[in-house]
Each structure stands twice: as structure tokens, then as C-alpha cells.
Amino acid sequence: MTKPTAPVAIRKSHKVTFHNIQRDDPYHWLRADNWQEVMQKPETLNGDIRAYLEAENAFYEAEFGTRTEKLRDTIYKEIRGRIKEDDSGIASPDGPFAYNSRMLEGKQYPLIVRTARDGGPETILLDCNVEAGDAYFGFAGAEHDRSHRYLAWAADRAGSEYYDIVIRDLDTGKDSAEVIKETAGSYVWSNDSKAIYYTEYDDNHRPYRIRLHTIGTDQASDPIIFEEKDPGFFVGVGRTLSDKYIVIDAHDHQTSECWLIDAELGGEPRLVAPRLTDREYDIDERDGVLYIRTNADGAEDFKIAVAPVDNPGAENWTDLVPHQQGVLILDTIVIRNHLLRLERFEGLPRIVVRDLRTGTEETVKFDEEAYSLGMSVGYEFDTSVFRLTYSSPTTPSRTYDMDLETGTRTLLKEQEVPSGHNPADYETRRLFATADDGEQVPVTVLYRKGTKLDGSAPALLYGYGAYGMSMPSAFSISALSLVDRGFVHATAHIRGGMEKGYRWYVEGRREHKTNTFTDFIAAAEMLVDKGYTARGRIVAQGGSAGGMLMGAIANLRPDLWGGIIAQVPFVDVLNTMLDETLPLTPPEWPEWGNPLASAEDYARIAAYAPYEQVAAKPYPPIFALAGLTDPRVTYWEPAKWVAKLRATKTGNAPLYLKTNMGAGHGGASGRFDRLKETAECYAFALNAVGLEGTFGSN
């Protein structure tokens, strides 16, 4: 049989000059000039670009996909076997009803259902499987109105994150002919059930407006309620749990601003406190008082302040929960008599409950070395019950209701693993790697008991490290397919996240961005030094901004990795940050720097940007995944990266690019289709370390 030939992208000179520095980007042509149109209509993609992407897909399938089909199918069936397919959520009461979602065996998407509050016959409000058909279906959720007569639901049909909002009459079960088209997916009902506040994109796919659609009117006549003028800020719309206020928030990654609309009376939005660079705040309301989580006044790890709704300016903010260095307040919920806050202390989450009548506090925490914790309260404000979820790498998710008046904690649900799972068969460890500057980087490790820790085991090391997003130490049904085959599964909680407080985030962005990369490398070296694995036996994995991490560590230390999995990787950082027409560029400047305005930022980004730093050296096996309609990391970033790698790298290690021609940033939309993508990645990881056959060369 003839061996498949890797595609070679043609080179077209494209010279640009910034800060008196000229660069030539020979693969710039892969960026479609009509990218906005392609996001909504993939069929309009330029023929030459489509031909290249399809050639890469064909090469991947011929060289790797077909050869590993049996392995991928085996892993897919394993992971699917750990899912309780006919699974139900936990009902949340709201007035006379209780709302829920559940999955049917063999189906990809949820049913939205309700019963009477205290139980009884179930009514199916929305079957997303029927609505989806066989095409892409990005479900943005459903929201019932206060009268319980209507259900608004939103879906994206292309993966481009343009959501159409549909209104269903729950008395008849039929959808209205009117559809609120091409929204940004954030929306809420008015209290009188006569209108919907929704977000709208600008021409560059940035959510910048709030409009109000009155049911029964033409969308073209919807009035503008709020419009953001700064392209660096995105807007969203929500409501306080008390139902008294519609909340409009404008934000970038480090600065925020909130506006209030009386949910009963409507009217013009009223500013809470004007935006101040690097000041963040979010709000909730109780009895005419705003509860404000903020980093104002040097509260690096956030504090909670209060202010009167009628006079909410920052000059009137009074501390309720003072700032405590090293105790990061992640989230707050206000209910009738209690304030709940989710904190992270010494890298582990905890929930603190404050009785607003007495000021007394109670802490909810668990005893495992590493675990994940979350909280919610459903639809109702006037309640004393909140819901918490707990899991660890060894312990499947458990959901409890806790009654704050009685102290009773009730186990509502424990995640079932139909194919079987014994937590005692696995070990979870919380280790620390010493970074280049002496910082201690947490690493969560999972392995099967009996795995030899003598350097012979392969490892998968996952990382992200951006936007202050922390990686939870949670249960993963997918990871077991590697762990049961002898892998050590590790997550590096590197700088750029907030695992060790807001400082951890600051030290992993802008001028400190390279800490993210060196922290990840330090985590890998620690696993080697402690005998968990060996150099060349580590498969690194990351997506989106974590894909940038993958590109950077491939350039910095190609010798460490047995393979690299880069999912929708943000690898063309410099060119993207220079293109202010792209959806995320202006909002991302506070995160990375603005190379258009600053020669210093330009030089710094160019020095680490994965695409810019590709060099003639032997790279490890690399598997890159992209989505054609992805508005966050555009398809051409991984395409250009792979094209340049293929033309530049030395050695025979395989290099694959797979572009989903009908999906966006999140990959396939159905729950089983997503599992198939995971199985592909794991088959690559197993091959990379030689556990399931060997790679060919290309």
C-alpha cells in the first residue's frame, strides 16, 4: 500500500511592519477574508483553504485514524459505559412547579421537564433531541417565565455561537413563529412575562448591546437598552435571585461595571459604580441592600461589601466580609437570611455560610487531599436550603441539600458508574513542584493502586493557566481509561489560574506569562524526579489558552514530551493580538498586552508566541484539533501552526491536524460525539508512549 503523504501548505509572502519591525507571515492566506460569514455559513469558505483543511483531515484519517479505529472504539465504549445514560438531574422547585433536566438512553441531548412542586406526573417541556435532528446543536439553555406559561430556549446551529431564541407556549406545547435571531445567548425574561432582555453581537462577534424584545413585535423594532462603546468590553444580562433587578454587566478580564433595571417597572439602566481599571465587582440584592464581591481598595483576593440600592456608589461600600490575604472569594449567593461564599484556601475549596441575622458563620469542607466543591440554590430566593456538589479524582460526584435552619445535610444523588468503579482501587495525591523562582506549584495526581512509581509509567499532564480559571480536582470518567492502562494522570495548577489566590493569576499573565510555561515544565520535571514517569513518557494536553501552553512547551522543551495534544490551540498569539477586528482581541489586551500600541508588548509576545517561535528542531508527536466555526480560537491558528511546523521541524515524529468542519470552540455538540473526540485524544496518547502500536513517520 502507498504510504499517505502529508499535505504541504503553499507559502505566500505577506509582509507587515509594526514598531519598525518587518515580519513575513507566509501562511496568512489561511485566514479567510470573509471569516465573519464563514462562522455562520461554513460553505462560504474559500476553496483553497477548504482544500488544505480537508487534505489535513484526510491525512490524519489515513495515517492514524483508520489504524487506531479499533482502539478508539474500545475507549469510546469504555467511557460511555461509565455514563448512566438514562440519567436525571435533581429537581429545583419554583413556585407551584419543580423543574429538571434528564437524559434518555442512547440520546445526545437533554429533556427539559417539570412536575408539580411536590411530585407527580412529569411534563416534557422541551426535547432537545427532536430539535437537534442530526446536525450541530449548541444548546444555550431554557428559561421559564414567572407565570410558568412560557419557555424561552436558545440554540446555535453551526458552532459559531450565534443563538436563536425560541418562545414556547407551555399550555399548547407549540413554539411561536417569532424567533429572536442571532443573539449572543445571554437573555432573561421581564417580570411581567411580556418581554425578553437579550444580548446582541456587533459585526466582529462581540456581545455589545442589550435589547428588549416585546413578545408579538418585530425584532427589528426592539429598543436598545444598553450599548457598550469600548470594543474591549463585553456585555451580559442576568437578574438578582430576589427577582427585583435586571443586571447588565460590562467587563473585560480585569475590570467590570454593573447597571440595574427595576424588574417590575423597567426603565433606563442605573449605574452601580463606574468602571475603574483593574477593579472588579459583581452584585446580588436583599431587602434593598446590594451585596458586592469586589477587589476594590487593594482587596487582592476579594472581599464582600454592602451598599444601599438607592445609593450604590463605591463611596458607600462598607465591608461585610473583609479581605483576607490568601483566602480567595470565588463566588457568592444571597438568599433570604444567609450569605453563601465559595472560597479557596491553600489551594482547596470550602463553603462558608453566614447567617445575616446574627453574623455567625459555619464552614463546609472535606478531608481528601484534593477535591472539587460547588454550590447553587436553584430558582428561589426565599429559602433556607442550598445545594452543594463534591467530587475528587477518585470519588464520583455527590450532591447534597443542606438546610441552614436545621443543619441537616441530605445526600440527593451520587454519580453512578454503570460499568463499576471502586474508589479504593485508586490513589489521589496532591504534590508540589518547585518553579524556577522557587514558587510551589500544586499538582493533582491520580493513578491506579499497584502502578509502579519507578519511572516506567507513562503520564498525561494537563494544564491551562490563563484568565484566572482554576482547574478543579474533580472526578473524571474519561481519565480512568488511561489510568486503568497504567497511566499516571496529573493536572498542573500553574500560574495564570487562581488556585493559590489572585496573585497566582497576576503572576501568570502579561509580563509574567512565561511563568505559566515554566511552571508546567517544573511540574513535569517533578513527576520525573519522584518516579511517577520519565522524560519522553509524558503526554501534555491543553486546549484554547491551554493550547498556547502546549505550543510554548513544545518549543521550550521538546525532549520532555512523549506527545502533545493541543485542542483548539491559541498558538498564533501575536497575529491575533495585532488584529483588532477579531472578536476577542480588544478584550484580551489586558490579559496578554497590546502589541499594536506597545513595542514592549509586541516584543514580549513575539518572544513566546508558539507560531512565531517554531524552529528547526525535533518536535514530539503532536495532535492539533480545530473547529471551522470557532469564534474564540479561529480555525486558522492551529492550521497555520501545523503548516509551519511541518515545513520547519526536523525528525520523523508524526504531526496531525484534524478540523471539525461543522463545529466551533467546544467541538462536537452531542454528549456521545464529544466522547469520540476524547477517545481520539487518548488513542493518540497511548500510541505516543508505545502502549498500543507505534507511530509511522511523516
Side-chain angles (χ1 to χ4, degrees):
M1 294 180 64
T2 303
K3 182 177 175 59
T5 302
V8 176
I10 62 173
R11 297 169 60 92
K12 299 180 181 180
S13 181
H14 179 79
K15 294 181 180 179
V16 292
T17 301
F18 294 95
H19 307 294
N20 297 317
I21 300 171
Q22 187 181 77
R23 296 164 43 252
D24 190 8
D25 183 3
Y27 302 110
H28 174 82
W29 66 272
L30 287 167
R31 176 194 184 279
D33 291 336
N34 67 329
W35 62 263
Q36 294 100 327
E37 185 180 18
V38 171
M39 293 297 162
Q40 295 180 273
K41 299 177 181 178
E43 66 275 11
T44 63
L45 181 67
N46 171 278
D48 290 342
I49 299 172
R50 180 177 294 277
Y52 172 71
L53 297 179
E54 290 179 344
E56 285 285 2
N57 282 352
F59 174 71
Y60 162 78
E61 191 59 36
E63 174 74 1
F64 184 76
T66 302
R67 178 162 57 85
T68 60
E69 184 176 4
K70 184 176 179 180
L71 174 60
R72 288 186 286 121
D73 188 56
T74 297
I75 295 172
Y76 166 73
K77 288 177 179 176
E78 286 175 3
I79 300 173
R80 184 165 173 172
R82 300 187 192 107
I83 296 175
K84 188 176 186 298
E85 293 193 16
D86 56 342
D87 199 16
S88 176
I90 302 169
S92 294
D94 187 19
F97 296 103
Y99 291 83
N100 202 352
S101 67
R102 61 183 178 87
M103 304 295 296
L104 298 178
E105 185 172 356
K107 299 296 185 180
Q108 298 260 37
Y109 302 101
L111 305 180
I112 307 301
V113 301
R114 77 180 178 191
T115 64
R117 184 183 183 98
D118 297 322
E122 176 186 271
T123 300
I124 297 174
L125 306 181
L126 179 71
D127 184 343
C128 291
N129 300 285
V130 173
E131 303 302 334
D134 296 325
Y136 182 92
F137 185 77
F139 183 51
E143 181 177 341
H144 60 272
D145 73 318
R146 291 182 83 197
S147 75
H148 304 278
R149 168 75 185 273
Y150 300 104
L151 186 79
W153 61 276
D156 161 26
R157 303 284 183 171
S160 56
E161 300 180 29
Y162 282 95
Y163 298 94
D164 288 351
I165 300 172
V166 181
I167 301 161
R168 177 163 294 187
D169 186 325
L170 297 180
D171 285 352
T172 65
K174 295 182 179 180
D175 291 331
S176 168
E178 66 179 300
V179 175
I180 310 173
K181 291 185 174 294
E182 297 182 4
T183 78
S186 172
Y187 63 97
V188 293
W189 283 97
S190 63
N191 278 8
D192 62 8
S193 304
K194 294 180 179 179
I196 291 175
Y197 295 88
Y198 66 94
T199 47
E200 183 179 47
Y201 288 121
D202 67 9
D203 291 339
N204 291 322
H205 206 275
R206 299 179 188 124
Y208 81 121
R209 271 183 184 163
I210 307 298
R211 287 188 183 266
L212 180 63
H213 178 75
T214 299
I215 308 304
T217 66
D218 188 340
Q219 183 180 352
S221 64
D222 291 351
I224 297 170
I225 303 301
F226 179 89
E227 182 172 324
E228 175 56 54
K229 303 297 185 183
D230 187 336
F233 278 68
F234 285 4
V235 300
V237 63
R239 66 190 312 125
T240 60
L241 189 59
S242 66
D243 275 345
K244 291 183 179 178
Y245 295 94
I246 304 296
V247 181
I248 296 171
D249 70 282
H251 60 275
D252 63 13
H253 290 296
Q254 285 88 44
T255 303
S256 59
E257 178 180 84
C258 294
W259 299 70
L260 298 176
I261 299 172
D262 188 301
E264 293 290 343
L265 302 177
E268 295 295 318
R270 186 161 54 91
L271 179 63
V272 174
R275 66 191 65 173
L276 184 64
T277 300
D278 292 331
R279 182 177 70 188
E280 298 179 59
Y281 70 94
D282 51 58
I283 60 174
D284 212 333
E285 185 273 343
R286 169 183 178 265
D287 294 342
V289 175
L290 293 182
Y291 290 77
I292 305 158
R293 187 187 72 98
T294 181
N295 63 352
D297 307 317
E300 181 181 65
D301 288 319
F302 289 79
K303 62 180 180 178
I304 300 172
V306 292
V309 170
D310 293 337
N311 199 5
E315 67 277 7
N316 296 316
W317 294 0
T318 303
D319 288 0
L320 178 68
V321 179
H323 175 244
Q324 185 177 351
Q325 189 74 35
V327 180
L328 178 64
I329 302 176
L330 297 165
D331 191 18
T332 59
I333 298 174
V334 179
I335 54 179
R336 169 55 62 199
N337 293 316
H338 297 88
L339 168 67
L340 314 173
R341 64 183 191 267
L342 178 64
E343 300 179 341
R344 184 174 290 113
F345 175 61
E346 295 184 345
L348 290 176
R350 66 187 187 189
I351 296 171
V352 180
V353 180
R354 183 185 186 97
D355 190 319
L356 293 172
R357 297 162 297 186
T358 65
T360 57
E361 293 191 343
E362 177 185 356
T363 300
V364 181
K365 57 184 179 180
F366 294 82
D367 295 328
E368 288 193 75
E369 280 193 32
Y371 59 86
S372 174
L373 198 59
M375 64 180 188
S376 65
V377 291
Y379 301 107
E380 296 186 323
F381 171 76
D382 194 4
T383 182
S384 63
V385 177
F386 84 97
R387 191 160 288 170
L388 67 89
T389 55
Y390 168 85
S391 76
S392 79
T394 58
T395 306
S397 177
R398 295 172 180 167
T399 304
Y400 301 85
D401 264 0
M402 186 167 179
D403 191 313
L404 300 176
E405 297 295 351
T406 66
T408 304
R409 187 188 299 183
T410 304
L411 178 62
L412 300 177
K413 182 178 180 181
E414 187 166 4
Q415 181 181 355
E416 295 182 43
V417 182
S419 60
H421 174 71
N422 181 6
D425 291 340
Y426 302 89
E427 294 278 358
T428 295
R429 292 286 179 265
R430 187 164 174 258
L431 308 175
F432 291 89
T434 302
D436 288 354
D437 59 359
E439 285 283 0
Q440 296 297 294
V441 180
V443 182
T444 300
V445 173
L446 171 70
Y447 58 91
R448 192 175 180 91
K449 286 182 178 176
T451 301
K452 292 182 179 180
L453 303 180
D454 58 2
S456 61
L460 185 137
L461 181 61
Y462 182 85
Y464 187 74
Y467 307 121
M469 294 179 63
S470 300
M471 296 298 100
S473 300
F475 183 70
S476 166
I477 58 169
S478 301
L480 298 177
S481 285
L482 289 181
V483 172
D484 286 347
R485 286 176 168 81
F487 264 74
V488 172
H489 188 281
T491 300
H493 304 285
I494 50 185
R495 279 176 281 189
M498 285 198 281
E499 283 89 341
K500 295 180 73 174
Y502 198 84
R503 175 186 66 88
W504 205 242
Y505 168 41
V506 171
E507 292 182 3
R509 67 178 174 95
R510 291 183 67 94
E511 64 269 23
H512 306 299
K513 187 61 207 169
T514 54
N515 285 335
T516 302
F517 316 142
T518 54
D519 283 1
F520 191 84
I521 290 168
E525 295 280 20
M526 179 272 293
L527 293 174
V528 171
D529 292 344
K530 291 184 178 294
Y532 284 91
T533 189
R535 291 177 181 84
R537 300 281 285 163
I538 307 169
V539 178
Q541 183 182 20
S544 195
M548 177 207 297
L549 169 67
M550 296 300 101
I553 57 102
N555 289 329
L556 291 169
R557 287 294 306 277
D559 60 299
L560 263 179
W561 320 111
I564 291 176
I565 301 168
Q567 295 163 282
V568 289
F570 180 32
V571 283
D572 195 14
V573 191
L574 182 61
N575 288 312
T576 293
M577 289 298 102
L578 287 167
D579 186 350
E580 58 189 331
T581 69
L582 293 175
L584 294 184
T585 293
E588 302 271 300
W589 285 332
E591 181 79 13
W592 314 105
N594 182 349
L596 279 171
S598 166
E600 181 182 356
D601 288 355
Y602 181 98
R604 184 178 64 251
I605 295 171
Y608 70 70
Y611 178 68
E612 303 300 324
Q613 293 301 315
V614 168
K617 64 178 73 172
Y619 283 82
I622 294 174
F623 182 26
L625 296 94
L628 179 62
T629 56
D630 187 347
R632 298 173 184 265
V633 176
T634 51
Y635 74 85
W636 60 81
E637 293 210 23
K640 289 173 60 179
W641 181 53
V642 167
K644 189 173 183 180
L645 278 167
R646 206 182 294 288
T648 309
K649 75 182 186 70
T650 62
N652 294 318
L655 172 63
Y656 302 123
L657 169 66
K658 182 177 181 181
T659 302
N660 190 324
M661 303 299 282
H665 197 64
S669 58
R671 59 171 174 163
F672 300 134
D673 291 339
R674 284 195 293 269
L675 296 183
K676 291 178 181 178
E677 293 183 355
T678 300
E680 284 185 301
C681 292
Y682 284 3
F684 177 87
L686 287 160
N687 273 263
V689 297
L691 288 189
E692 297 285 344
T694 57
F695 278 122
S697 60
N698 65 295

